[in-house]
Amino acid sequence: WAGLSQPDDAWKIWFGGDCEGFEMPPGAEYRHFCLHTLEQLVDKSRQVIKGVFVMELAQARACAQAGEANKDDFMLFVGYTGWGPGQLQDELSRGGAWILG
């Protein structure tokens, strides 16, 4: 996971399950993002849901280096899961089991 966490600047990385971005071919760009709940960074972030915000890793690192936040204020995620129109409903309609966390 070169480029995501350097030894002198280690960030805890959260990995998804069966999702895009988890296993990347050599040379591919990683899909990663940081979530936080810091009101003071609202103007530098995009709100996901009420009180939860997302920003790029580079921006989160800059905020931590500037003393505006601590790296532990962020959750760095690698990978994501998404559904196309109607895909999620089709999966739910098939009656498969879902484990939520």
Side-chain angles (χ1 to χ4, degrees):
W1 300 97
L4 290 179
S5 189
Q6 304 300 321
D8 61 336
D9 184 33
W11 287 56
K12 184 174 183 178
I13 300 174
W14 299 76
F15 296 98
D18 182 21
C19 59
E20 185 174 329
F22 188 68
E23 292 187 17
M24 303 293 288
E29 268 191 57
Y30 293 105
R31 297 186 185 265
H32 57 278
F33 56 93
C34 292
L35 291 180
H36 69 86
T37 57
L38 302 172
E39 294 290 330
Q40 70 266 28
L41 300 180
V42 170
D43 61 326
K44 299 178 181 184
S45 309
R46 185 171 45 102
Q47 184 166 285
V48 179
I49 59 172
K50 185 177 180 176
V52 179
F53 307 91
V54 64
M55 68 171 35
E56 296 290 328
L57 174 58
Q59 184 70 36
R61 276 186 170 150
C63 289
Q65 290 171 348
E68 298 174 310
N70 185 297
K71 66 183 178 186
D72 295 327
D73 291 326
F74 300 96
M75 294 182 76
L76 170 58
F77 289 90
V78 174
Y80 72 93
T81 299
W83 292 268
Q87 183 181 355
L88 178 58
Q89 185 58 52
D90 289 344
E91 291 180 22
L92 292 170
S93 296
R94 280 184 266 160
W98 283 69
I99 299 174
L100 303 176

Coordinates of all heavy atoms in Angstrom, one line a residue:
W1 N 0.8 -1.2 0.0 CA 0.0 0.0 0.0 C 0.9 1.3 0.0 O 0.6 2.2 0.7 CB -1.0 0.0 1.2 CG -1.8 -1.2 1.1 CD1 -1.7 -2.4 1.8 CD2 -3.0 -1.4 0.3 NE1 -2.6 -3.3 1.5 CE2 -3.5 -2.7 0.6 CE3 -3.7 -0.6 -0.6 CZ2 -4.6 -3.2 -0.1 CZ3 -4.8 -1.1 -1.2 CH2 -5.3 -2.4 -0.9
A2 N 1.9 1.2 -0.8 CA 2.8 2.3 -0.9 C 2.1 3.6 -1.3 O 1.1 3.6 -2.1 CB 3.8 2.0 -2.0
G3 N 2.5 4.7 -0.7 CA 1.9 6.0 -0.9 C 0.7 6.3 0.0 O 0.4 7.4 0.2
L4 N 0.1 5.3 0.7 CA -1.0 5.6 1.6 C -0.5 5.9 3.0 O -1.0 6.7 3.7 CB -1.9 4.4 1.6 CG -2.8 4.1 0.4 CD1 -3.7 2.9 0.6 CD2 -3.6 5.4 0.0
S5 N 0.5 5.1 3.4 CA 1.1 5.3 4.7 C 2.6 5.2 4.7 O 3.1 4.2 4.3 CB 0.4 4.3 5.7 OG 0.7 4.6 7.0
Q6 N 3.3 6.2 5.2 CA 4.7 6.2 5.2 C 5.2 5.8 6.6 O 4.5 6.2 7.6 CB 5.3 7.5 4.8 CG 4.8 8.0 3.4 CD 5.2 7.0 2.3 OE1 6.3 6.4 2.3 NE2 4.3 6.7 1.4
P7 N 6.3 5.2 6.8 CA 6.7 4.8 8.2 C 6.8 6.0 9.2 O 6.4 5.8 10.3 CB 8.1 4.2 8.0 CG 8.2 3.8 6.5 CD 7.3 4.8 5.8
D8 N 7.2 7.1 8.7 CA 7.3 8.3 9.7 C 5.9 9.0 9.8 O 5.8 9.9 10.6 CB 8.3 9.3 9.2 CG 8.1 9.8 7.8 OD1 7.3 9.2 7.0 OD2 8.6 10.9 7.5
D9 N 4.9 8.6 9.1 CA 3.6 9.2 9.1 C 2.5 8.2 9.0 O 1.7 8.2 8.2 CB 3.5 10.2 7.9 CG 2.2 11.0 7.9 OD1 1.7 11.3 9.0 OD2 1.7 11.3 6.8
A10 N 2.6 7.1 9.8 CA 1.7 6.0 9.7 C 0.3 6.4 10.1 O 0.0 7.0 11.2 CB 2.2 4.9 10.6
W11 N -0.6 6.0 9.2 CA -2.1 6.2 9.4 C -2.7 4.8 9.5 O -2.4 4.0 8.7 CB -2.7 7.0 8.3 CG -2.3 8.5 8.3 CD1 -1.1 9.0 8.3 CD2 -3.2 9.6 8.3 NE1 -1.2 10.4 8.3 CE2 -2.5 10.8 8.3 CE3 -4.6 9.7 8.3 CZ2 -3.0 12.0 8.3 CZ3 -5.2 10.9 8.3 CH2 -4.4 12.1 8.3
K12 N -3.6 4.6 10.4 CA -4.4 3.4 10.5 C -5.3 3.3 9.2 O -6.0 4.2 8.9 CB -5.2 3.3 11.7 CG -5.9 2.0 11.9 CD -6.6 1.9 13.2 CE -7.3 0.5 13.3 NZ -7.9 0.4 14.6
I13 N -5.2 2.2 8.5 CA -6.0 2.0 7.3 C -7.1 1.0 7.5 O -6.8 -0.1 8.0 CB -5.0 1.6 6.1 CG1 -3.9 2.6 5.9 CG2 -5.9 1.3 4.9 CD1 -2.9 2.2 4.8
W14 N -8.3 1.3 7.1 CA -9.4 0.4 7.2 C -9.7 -0.1 5.8 O -9.8 0.7 4.9 CB -10.7 1.2 7.7 CG -10.5 1.8 9.1 CD1 -9.8 2.9 9.4 CD2 -11.0 1.3 10.3 NE1 -9.8 3.1 10.8 CE2 -10.6 2.1 11.3 CE3 -11.8 0.2 10.6 CZ2 -10.9 1.9 12.6 CZ3 -12.2 0.0 11.9 CH2 -11.7 0.8 12.9
F15 N -9.8 -1.4 5.7 CA -10.0 -2.0 4.4 C -11.5 -2.5 4.3 O -12.0 -3.0 5.3 CB -9.1 -3.2 4.2 CG -7.7 -2.9 4.2 CD1 -6.9 -3.0 5.3 CD2 -7.1 -2.4 3.0 CE1 -5.5 -2.7 5.3 CE2 -5.7 -2.1 3.0 CZ -5.0 -2.2 4.1
G16 N -12.0 -2.4 3.1 CA -13.3 -3.0 2.8 C -13.3 -4.5 2.7 O -12.2 -5.1 2.7
G17 N -14.4 -5.1 2.4 CA -14.5 -6.5 2.2 C -14.4 -6.7 0.7 O -13.4 -6.4 0.0
D18 N -15.4 -7.4 0.1 CA -15.4 -7.7 -1.3 C -15.8 -6.4 -2.1 O -17.0 -6.1 -2.4 CB -16.5 -8.7 -1.6 CG -16.5 -9.1 -3.0 OD1 -15.6 -8.9 -3.8 OD2 -17.6 -9.7 -3.5
C19 N -14.8 -5.5 -2.3 CA -15.1 -4.2 -2.9 C -14.0 -3.8 -3.8 O -12.9 -4.3 -3.7 CB -15.3 -3.2 -1.8 SG -13.9 -3.0 -0.7
E20 N -14.3 -2.9 -4.7 CA -13.4 -2.3 -5.6 C -12.3 -1.6 -4.9 O -12.6 -0.8 -3.9 CB -14.1 -1.4 -6.6 CG -13.2 -0.9 -7.7 CD -14.0 -0.1 -8.7 OE1 -15.1 -0.4 -9.0 OE2 -13.4 0.8 -9.3
G21 N -11.1 -1.7 -5.3 CA -10.0 -1.0 -4.7 C -9.2 -1.8 -3.7 O -8.1 -1.4 -3.3
F22 N -9.7 -2.9 -3.3 CA -9.0 -3.7 -2.3 C -7.8 -4.5 -2.9 O -6.7 -4.4 -2.4 CB -9.9 -4.7 -1.7 CG -9.3 -5.5 -0.5 CD1 -9.0 -4.8 0.7 CD2 -9.1 -6.8 -0.6 CE1 -8.4 -5.5 1.7 CE2 -8.5 -7.5 0.5 CZ -8.2 -6.8 1.6
E23 N -8.0 -5.1 -4.1 CA -6.9 -5.7 -4.8 C -6.7 -5.0 -6.1 O -7.6 -5.0 -7.0 CB -7.3 -7.2 -5.1 CG -7.3 -8.0 -3.8 CD -7.4 -9.5 -4.0 OE1 -7.2 -9.9 -5.2 OE2 -7.8 -10.2 -3.1
M24 N -5.6 -4.3 -6.2 CA -5.4 -3.4 -7.3 C -4.2 -4.0 -8.2 O -3.2 -4.5 -7.6 CB -5.0 -2.0 -6.9 CG -6.1 -1.3 -6.0 SD -7.6 -1.0 -6.9 CE -7.0 0.3 -7.9
P25 N -4.3 -3.9 -9.5 CA -3.2 -4.4 -10.3 C -2.1 -3.4 -10.2 O -2.2 -2.3 -9.8 CB -3.8 -4.4 -11.7 CG -5.0 -3.4 -11.7 CD -5.5 -3.5 -10.3
P26 N -0.8 -3.9 -10.5 CA 0.3 -3.0 -10.4 C 0.2 -1.8 -11.2 O -0.3 -1.8 -12.3 CB 1.5 -3.9 -10.9 CG 1.0 -5.3 -10.7 CD -0.5 -5.3 -10.9
G27 N 0.5 -0.6 -10.6 CA 0.4 0.6 -11.3 C -0.9 1.3 -11.3 O -1.1 2.5 -11.7
A28 N -2.0 0.6 -10.7 CA -3.3 1.2 -10.6 C -3.4 2.2 -9.5 O -2.6 2.1 -8.5 CB -4.4 0.1 -10.5
E29 N -4.3 3.2 -9.6 CA -4.5 4.1 -8.5 C -5.4 3.5 -7.4 O -6.4 2.9 -7.7 CB -5.1 5.4 -9.0 CG -4.2 6.5 -9.4 CD -4.9 7.8 -9.6 OE1 -5.6 8.3 -8.7 OE2 -4.7 8.3 -10.7
Y30 N -5.0 3.7 -6.2 CA -5.8 3.2 -5.1 C -7.0 4.1 -4.9 O -6.9 5.3 -5.0 CB -5.0 3.1 -3.8 CG -4.0 2.1 -3.8 CD1 -2.6 2.5 -3.9 CD2 -4.3 0.7 -3.7 CE1 -1.6 1.5 -4.0 CE2 -3.3 -0.2 -3.8 CZ -2.0 0.2 -3.9 OH -1.0 -0.8 -3.9
R31 N -8.1 3.5 -4.5 CA -9.3 4.3 -4.2 C -9.4 4.4 -2.7 O -9.6 3.4 -2.0 CB -10.6 3.6 -4.7 CG -10.6 3.5 -6.3 CD -11.9 3.0 -6.7 NE -11.8 2.7 -8.2 CZ -12.3 3.6 -9.1 NH1 -12.7 4.8 -8.7 NH2 -12.2 3.3 -10.4
H32 N -9.1 5.6 -2.2 CA -9.1 5.8 -0.8 C -9.7 7.2 -0.4 O -9.7 8.1 -1.2 CB -7.7 5.6 -0.2 CG -6.7 6.6 -0.8 ND1 -6.1 6.3 -2.0 CD2 -6.2 7.7 -0.4 CE1 -5.3 7.3 -2.3 NE2 -5.3 8.2 -1.4
F33 N -10.1 7.3 0.8 CA -10.7 8.5 1.3 C -10.7 8.5 2.8 O -10.6 7.5 3.5 CB -12.2 8.7 0.8 CG -13.1 7.6 1.1 CD1 -13.8 7.6 2.3 CD2 -13.2 6.5 0.3 CE1 -14.7 6.6 2.6 CE2 -14.0 5.4 0.6 CZ -14.8 5.5 1.8
C34 N -10.9 9.7 3.4 CA -10.9 9.9 4.9 C -12.2 10.4 5.3 O -12.8 11.3 4.7 CB -9.8 10.9 5.3 SG -8.1 10.3 5.1
L35 N -12.7 9.8 6.4 CA -14.0 10.2 7.0 C -13.6 10.9 8.3 O -12.6 10.5 9.0 CB -14.9 9.1 7.3 CG -15.6 8.4 6.1 CD1 -16.5 7.3 6.6 CD2 -16.3 9.4 5.2
H36 N -14.4 11.9 8.7 CA -14.2 12.6 10.0 C -15.5 13.2 10.5 O -16.4 13.3 9.7 CB -13.0 13.6 9.9 CG -13.4 14.8 9.1 ND1 -14.1 15.9 9.6 CD2 -13.2 15.1 7.8 CE1 -14.3 16.8 8.7 NE2 -13.7 16.3 7.5
T37 N -15.5 13.7 11.7 CA -16.6 14.3 12.3 C -16.3 15.7 12.8 O -17.0 16.3 13.7 CB -17.2 13.5 13.4 OG1 -16.2 13.3 14.4 CG2 -17.7 12.1 12.9
L38 N -15.2 16.3 12.3 CA -14.7 17.6 12.9 C -15.4 18.8 12.2 O -15.3 19.1 11.0 CB -13.2 17.7 12.6 CG -12.4 16.6 13.3 CD1 -10.9 16.7 12.8 CD2 -12.5 16.7 14.8
E39 N -16.2 19.5 13.0 CA -16.9 20.7 12.5 C -16.0 21.8 12.0 O -16.3 22.4 11.0 CB -17.8 21.2 13.6 CG -19.0 20.3 14.1 CD -20.1 20.2 13.0 OE1 -20.3 21.1 12.2 OE2 -20.7 19.1 13.0
Q40 N -14.8 21.9 12.6 CA -13.9 22.9 12.1 C -13.3 22.7 10.7 O -12.7 23.6 10.2 CB -12.8 23.1 13.2 CG -11.8 22.0 13.2 CD -12.1 21.0 14.3 OE1 -13.2 20.8 14.7 NE2 -11.0 20.4 14.9
L41 N -13.5 21.5 10.2 CA -13.0 21.2 8.8 C -14.1 21.1 7.8 O -13.9 20.7 6.7 CB -12.2 19.9 8.9 CG -11.0 19.9 9.8 CD1 -10.3 18.5 9.7 CD2 -10.1 21.0 9.4
V42 N -15.3 21.5 8.2 CA -16.5 21.5 7.2 C -16.2 22.2 5.9 O -16.6 21.7 4.9 CB -17.8 22.1 7.9 CG1 -18.9 22.2 6.9 CG2 -18.2 21.2 9.1
D43 N -15.6 23.3 6.0 CA -15.3 24.1 4.7 C -14.3 23.4 3.8 O -14.2 23.8 2.7 CB -14.9 25.5 5.1 CG -13.6 25.6 5.9 OD1 -13.4 24.6 6.7 OD2 -12.8 26.5 5.7
K44 N -13.6 22.4 4.3 CA -12.6 21.7 3.5 C -13.1 20.3 3.1 O -12.3 19.5 2.6 CB -11.3 21.6 4.3 CG -10.7 22.9 4.6 CD -9.4 22.8 5.4 CE -8.8 24.2 5.8 NZ -7.6 24.1 6.4
S45 N -14.3 20.0 3.5 CA -14.8 18.6 3.3 C -16.1 18.6 2.6 O -16.7 19.7 2.3 CB -15.0 18.0 4.7 OG -13.9 18.1 5.5
R46 N -16.6 17.4 2.3 CA -18.0 17.2 1.8 C -18.8 16.4 2.8 O -18.3 15.4 3.2 CB -17.8 16.5 0.4 CG -19.2 16.4 -0.3 CD -19.0 15.8 -1.7 NE -18.0 14.7 -1.8 CZ -18.4 13.4 -1.9 NH1 -19.7 13.1 -2.0 NH2 -17.5 12.5 -2.0
Q47 N -20.0 16.8 3.1 CA -20.8 16.1 4.1 C -21.3 14.8 3.4 O -21.9 14.9 2.3 CB -21.9 17.0 4.6 CG -22.7 16.3 5.7 CD -23.6 17.3 6.4 OE1 -23.1 18.0 7.2 NE2 -24.9 17.2 6.1
V48 N -21.2 13.7 4.1 CA -21.8 12.4 3.6 C -23.2 12.2 4.2 O -24.1 12.0 3.5 CB -20.9 11.3 4.0 CG1 -21.4 9.9 3.6 CG2 -19.4 11.5 3.5
I49 N -23.3 12.3 5.5 CA -24.5 12.3 6.2 C -24.3 13.4 7.3 O -23.2 13.8 7.6 CB -24.9 11.0 6.8 CG1 -23.8 10.4 7.8 CG2 -25.2 10.0 5.7 CD1 -24.2 9.2 8.5
K50 N -25.4 13.7 8.0 CA -25.3 14.7 9.1 C -24.2 14.4 10.1 O -24.2 13.3 10.7 CB -26.6 14.8 9.8 CG -26.6 16.0 10.8 CD -28.0 16.1 11.5 CE -27.8 17.3 12.5 NZ -29.1 17.6 13.1
G51 N -23.2 15.3 10.2 CA -22.1 15.1 11.1 C -21.0 14.3 10.7 O -20.0 14.1 11.4
V52 N -21.0 13.7 9.5 CA -19.9 12.9 9.0 C -19.5 13.5 7.6 O -20.3 13.7 6.8 CB -20.4 11.4 8.8 CG1 -19.2 10.6 8.2 CG2 -20.8 10.8 10.1
F53 N -18.2 13.7 7.5 CA -17.6 14.4 6.4 C -16.5 13.5 5.7 O -15.9 12.7 6.4 CB -17.0 15.7 6.8 CG -18.0 16.6 7.5 CD1 -18.1 16.5 8.9 CD2 -18.9 17.4 6.9 CE1 -19.1 17.3 9.6 CE2 -19.8 18.2 7.5 CZ -19.9 18.1 8.9
V54 N -16.3 13.8 4.4 CA -15.2 13.1 3.7 C -14.3 14.1 3.1 O -14.7 15.2 2.7 CB -15.9 12.2 2.6 CG1 -16.6 13.0 1.6 CG2 -14.8 11.2 2.0
M55 N -13.0 13.7 3.0 CA -12.0 14.5 2.3 C -10.9 13.5 1.8 O -10.8 12.4 2.3 CB -11.4 15.6 3.2 CG -10.6 15.1 4.4 SD -9.7 16.4 5.3 CE -10.7 17.8 5.3
E56 N -10.1 14.1 0.9 CA -9.0 13.3 0.4 C -7.9 13.1 1.4 O -7.7 14.0 2.3 CB -8.4 14.0 -0.8 CG -9.3 14.1 -2.0 CD -9.6 12.8 -2.7 OE1 -8.7 11.9 -2.7 OE2 -10.7 12.6 -3.2
L57 N -7.1 12.1 1.3 CA -6.0 11.8 2.2 C -5.0 12.9 2.3 O -4.6 13.4 3.3 CB -5.3 10.5 1.9 CG -4.0 10.2 2.7 CD1 -4.3 10.1 4.2 CD2 -3.4 8.9 2.2
A58 N -4.7 13.5 1.1 CA -3.7 14.6 1.1 C -4.2 15.8 1.9 O -3.4 16.4 2.6 CB -3.4 15.0 -0.4
Q59 N -5.5 16.1 1.8 CA -6.1 17.2 2.6 C -6.1 16.9 4.1 O -5.7 17.7 4.9 CB -7.5 17.5 2.1 CG -8.1 18.7 2.7 CD -7.5 20.0 2.3 OE1 -7.1 20.2 1.2 NE2 -7.4 20.9 3.2
A60 N -6.4 15.6 4.4 CA -6.4 15.2 5.8 C -5.0 15.3 6.4 O -4.8 15.8 7.5 CB -6.9 13.8 6.0
R61 N -4.0 14.9 5.6 CA -2.6 15.0 6.1 C -2.2 16.4 6.3 O -1.5 16.8 7.3 CB -1.7 14.3 5.0 CG -1.5 12.9 5.2 CD -0.5 12.3 4.2 NE -0.2 11.0 4.5 CZ 0.2 10.1 3.6 NH1 0.4 10.5 2.3 NH2 0.5 8.9 3.9
A62 N -2.6 17.3 5.3 CA -2.3 18.7 5.5 C -2.9 19.3 6.7 O -2.3 20.1 7.4 CB -2.7 19.5 4.2
C63 N -4.1 18.9 7.0 CA -4.8 19.4 8.2 C -4.1 19.0 9.5 O -3.9 19.7 10.4 CB -6.3 19.0 8.2 SG -7.3 19.8 7.0
A64 N -3.6 17.7 9.5 CA -2.9 17.2 10.6 C -1.6 17.9 10.8 O -1.2 18.2 11.9 CB -2.7 15.7 10.5
Q65 N -0.9 18.1 9.7 CA 0.4 18.7 9.8 C 0.3 20.2 10.2 O 1.2 20.7 10.8 CB 1.2 18.6 8.4 CG 1.6 17.2 8.1 CD 2.1 17.0 6.7 OE1 1.9 17.9 5.8 NE2 2.7 15.9 6.4
A66 N -0.8 20.8 9.8 CA -1.0 22.2 10.2 C -1.5 22.4 11.6 O -1.7 23.5 12.1 CB -2.0 22.9 9.2
G67 N -1.8 21.3 12.3 CA -2.3 21.3 13.7 C -3.8 21.6 13.8 O -4.3 21.8 14.8
E68 N -4.5 21.5 12.6 CA -6.0 21.7 12.6 C -6.7 20.4 13.1 O -7.9 20.5 13.4 CB -6.5 22.0 11.2 CG -5.9 23.3 10.7 CD -6.3 23.6 9.2 OE1 -6.1 22.6 8.4 OE2 -6.7 24.7 9.0
A69 N -6.0 19.3 13.1 CA -6.6 18.0 13.5 C -5.5 17.1 13.8 O -4.3 17.4 13.6 CB -7.4 17.5 12.3
N70 N -5.8 16.0 14.3 CA -4.9 14.9 14.6 C -5.2 13.8 13.6 O -6.3 13.6 13.3 CB -5.1 14.4 16.1 CG -4.0 13.4 16.5 OD1 -4.0 12.3 15.9 ND2 -3.3 13.7 17.5
K71 N -4.1 13.0 13.2 CA -4.4 11.9 12.3 C -5.4 10.9 12.8 O -6.1 10.3 12.0 CB -3.1 11.3 11.8 CG -2.4 10.5 12.9 CD -1.1 9.9 12.4 CE -0.4 9.2 13.5 NZ 0.9 8.8 13.1
D72 N -5.5 10.8 14.1 CA -6.4 9.9 14.7 C -7.9 10.4 14.6 O -8.8 9.7 15.0 CB -6.1 9.6 16.2 CG -4.8 8.8 16.2 OD1 -4.5 8.0 15.3 OD2 -4.0 9.0 17.2
D73 N -8.1 11.6 14.2 CA -9.4 12.2 14.0 C -10.0 11.7 12.7 O -11.2 11.9 12.5 CB -9.4 13.7 13.9 CG -9.0 14.4 15.3 OD1 -9.4 13.8 16.3 OD2 -8.3 15.4 15.2
F74 N -9.2 11.0 11.9 CA -9.7 10.5 10.6 C -9.7 9.0 10.5 O -8.9 8.3 11.1 CB -8.8 11.0 9.5 CG -8.7 12.5 9.4 CD1 -7.6 13.2 10.0 CD2 -9.6 13.3 8.7 CE1 -7.5 14.6 10.0 CE2 -9.5 14.6 8.6 CZ -8.5 15.3 9.3
M75 N -10.6 8.5 9.7 CA -10.6 7.1 9.4 C -10.3 7.0 7.9 O -11.0 7.5 7.1 CB -12.0 6.4 9.6 CG -12.4 6.4 11.1 SD -14.0 5.6 11.4 CE -13.5 3.9 11.2
L76 N -9.1 6.4 7.6 CA -8.7 6.3 6.2 C -9.2 4.9 5.7 O -8.8 3.9 6.2 CB -7.2 6.3 6.2 CG -6.5 6.0 4.8 CD1 -7.0 6.8 3.7 CD2 -5.0 6.1 5.0
F77 N -10.0 5.0 4.7 CA -10.6 3.8 4.0 C -10.0 3.5 2.7 O -9.8 4.5 1.9 CB -12.1 3.9 3.9 CG -12.9 3.9 5.2 CD1 -13.1 5.0 5.9 CD2 -13.3 2.7 5.7 CE1 -13.8 5.0 7.1 CE2 -14.0 2.6 6.8 CZ -14.3 3.8 7.6
V78 N -9.7 2.3 2.4 CA -9.3 1.8 1.1 C -10.3 0.9 0.5 O -10.7 0.0 1.1 CB -7.9 1.1 1.2 CG1 -7.5 0.6 -0.2 CG2 -6.8 2.0 1.7
G79 N -10.8 1.3 -0.7 CA -11.8 0.5 -1.4 C -13.2 1.0 -1.1 O -13.4 1.8 -0.2
Y80 N -14.1 0.6 -1.9 CA -15.5 0.9 -1.7 C -16.4 -0.1 -2.4 O -16.0 -0.8 -3.2 CB -15.8 2.3 -2.2 CG -15.8 2.4 -3.7 CD1 -17.0 2.3 -4.4 CD2 -14.7 2.6 -4.4 CE1 -17.0 2.4 -5.8 CE2 -14.7 2.7 -5.8 CZ -15.9 2.6 -6.4 OH -15.9 2.6 -7.8
T81 N -17.7 -0.1 -2.0 CA -18.7 -0.9 -2.7 C -19.8 0.0 -3.2 O -20.2 0.9 -2.5 CB -19.3 -2.0 -1.7 OG1 -18.2 -2.8 -1.3 CG2 -20.3 -2.8 -2.4
G82 N -20.2 -0.3 -4.4 CA -21.3 0.6 -4.9 C -22.2 -0.3 -5.8 O -21.9 -1.4 -6.1
W83 N -23.4 0.2 -6.0 CA -24.4 -0.5 -6.7 C -24.9 0.3 -7.8 O -25.1 1.5 -7.7 CB -25.6 -0.9 -5.8 CG -25.3 -2.0 -4.8 CD1 -25.4 -3.3 -4.9 CD2 -24.8 -1.7 -3.5 NE1 -25.0 -3.9 -3.8 CE2 -24.6 -3.0 -2.9 CE3 -24.4 -0.6 -2.8 CZ2 -24.1 -3.1 -1.6 CZ3 -24.0 -0.7 -1.5 CH2 -23.8 -2.0 -0.9
G84 N -25.2 -0.3 -9.0 CA -25.8 0.5 -10.1 C -27.3 0.6 -9.8 O -27.9 0.0 -8.9
P85 N -28.0 1.3 -10.7 CA -29.5 1.5 -10.5 C -30.2 0.1 -10.4 O -30.0 -0.7 -11.3 CB -29.9 2.3 -11.7 CG -28.7 3.0 -12.2 CD -27.5 2.1 -11.8
G86 N -30.9 -0.1 -9.4 CA -31.7 -1.3 -9.2 C -30.9 -2.5 -8.7 O -31.5 -3.6 -8.3
Q87 N -29.6 -2.5 -8.8 CA -28.8 -3.6 -8.4 C -29.0 -4.1 -6.9 O -29.1 -5.2 -6.6 CB -27.3 -3.4 -8.7 CG -26.4 -4.6 -8.4 CD -24.9 -4.3 -8.7 OE1 -24.6 -3.2 -9.1 NE2 -24.1 -5.2 -8.3
L88 N -29.0 -3.1 -6.0 CA -29.1 -3.4 -4.6 C -30.5 -4.0 -4.3 O -30.6 -5.1 -3.6 CB -28.9 -2.2 -3.7 CG -29.1 -2.4 -2.2 CD1 -28.1 -3.4 -1.7 CD2 -28.9 -1.1 -1.5
Q89 N -31.5 -3.5 -4.9 CA -32.9 -4.0 -4.7 C -33.0 -5.4 -5.3 O -33.6 -6.3 -4.6 CB -33.9 -3.1 -5.4 CG -35.3 -3.6 -5.1 CD -35.7 -3.7 -3.6 OE1 -35.5 -2.7 -2.9 NE2 -36.1 -4.8 -3.1
D90 N -32.3 -5.7 -6.4 CA -32.3 -7.1 -7.0 C -31.7 -8.0 -6.0 O -32.1 -9.1 -5.8 CB -31.6 -7.1 -8.3 CG -32.4 -6.4 -9.4 OD1 -33.6 -6.2 -9.2 OD2 -31.8 -6.1 -10.5
E91 N -30.5 -7.6 -5.4 CA -29.8 -8.5 -4.5 C -30.7 -8.8 -3.2 O -30.7 -9.9 -2.7 CB -28.5 -7.9 -4.1 CG -27.5 -7.9 -5.2 CD -26.2 -7.3 -4.8 OE1 -25.8 -7.2 -3.6 OE2 -25.4 -6.8 -5.8
L92 N -31.4 -7.7 -2.7 CA -32.2 -7.9 -1.6 C -33.4 -8.8 -1.9 O -33.8 -9.6 -1.1 CB -32.7 -6.5 -1.0 CG -31.6 -5.7 -0.4 CD1 -32.1 -4.2 -0.2 CD2 -31.1 -6.3 0.9
S93 N -34.0 -8.6 -3.1 CA -35.1 -9.4 -3.5 C -34.8 -10.9 -3.6 O -35.7 -11.7 -3.5 CB -35.7 -8.9 -4.8 OG -36.1 -7.5 -4.6
R94 N -33.6 -11.2 -3.9 CA -33.2 -12.6 -4.0 C -33.2 -13.3 -2.6 O -33.1 -14.6 -2.6 CB -31.8 -12.8 -4.6 CG -31.9 -12.6 -6.1 CD -30.5 -12.9 -6.7 NE -29.9 -11.5 -6.8 CZ -28.6 -11.3 -6.9 NH1 -27.7 -12.2 -6.9 NH2 -28.2 -10.0 -7.1
G95 N -33.3 -12.6 -1.6 CA -33.4 -13.2 -0.2 C -32.1 -13.6 0.4 O -32.1 -14.4 1.3
G96 N -31.0 -13.2 -0.1 CA -29.7 -13.5 0.5 C -29.5 -12.9 1.8 O -30.2 -12.0 2.2
A97 N -28.6 -13.5 2.6 CA -28.3 -12.9 3.9 C -27.4 -11.7 3.9 O -26.5 -11.7 3.0 CB -27.7 -14.0 4.8
W98 N -27.6 -10.8 4.7 CA -26.8 -9.6 4.8 C -26.3 -9.4 6.2 O -27.1 -9.5 7.2 CB -27.6 -8.3 4.4 CG -27.8 -8.2 3.0 CD1 -28.5 -9.0 2.2 CD2 -27.1 -7.2 2.1 NE1 -28.5 -8.6 0.9 CE2 -27.6 -7.5 0.8 CE3 -26.3 -6.2 2.3 CZ2 -27.2 -6.7 -0.3 CZ3 -25.9 -5.4 1.2 CH2 -26.3 -5.7 -0.1
I99 N -25.0 -9.2 6.4 CA -24.4 -9.0 7.7 C -24.1 -7.5 7.8 O -23.3 -7.0 6.9 CB -23.2 -9.8 8.0 CG1 -23.6 -11.3 8.0 CG2 -22.6 -9.4 9.3 CD1 -22.4 -12.2 8.1
L100 N -24.6 -6.8 8.7 CA -24.4 -5.3 8.8 C -23.5 -5.1 10.0 O -23.7 -5.7 11.1 CB -25.7 -4.6 8.9 CG -26.7 -4.8 7.8 CD1 -28.0 -4.0 8.0 CD2 -26.1 -4.3 6.4
G101 N -22.6 -4.1 9.9 CA -21.8 -3.8 11.0 C -21.8 -2.3 11.3 O -22.3 -1.5 10.6

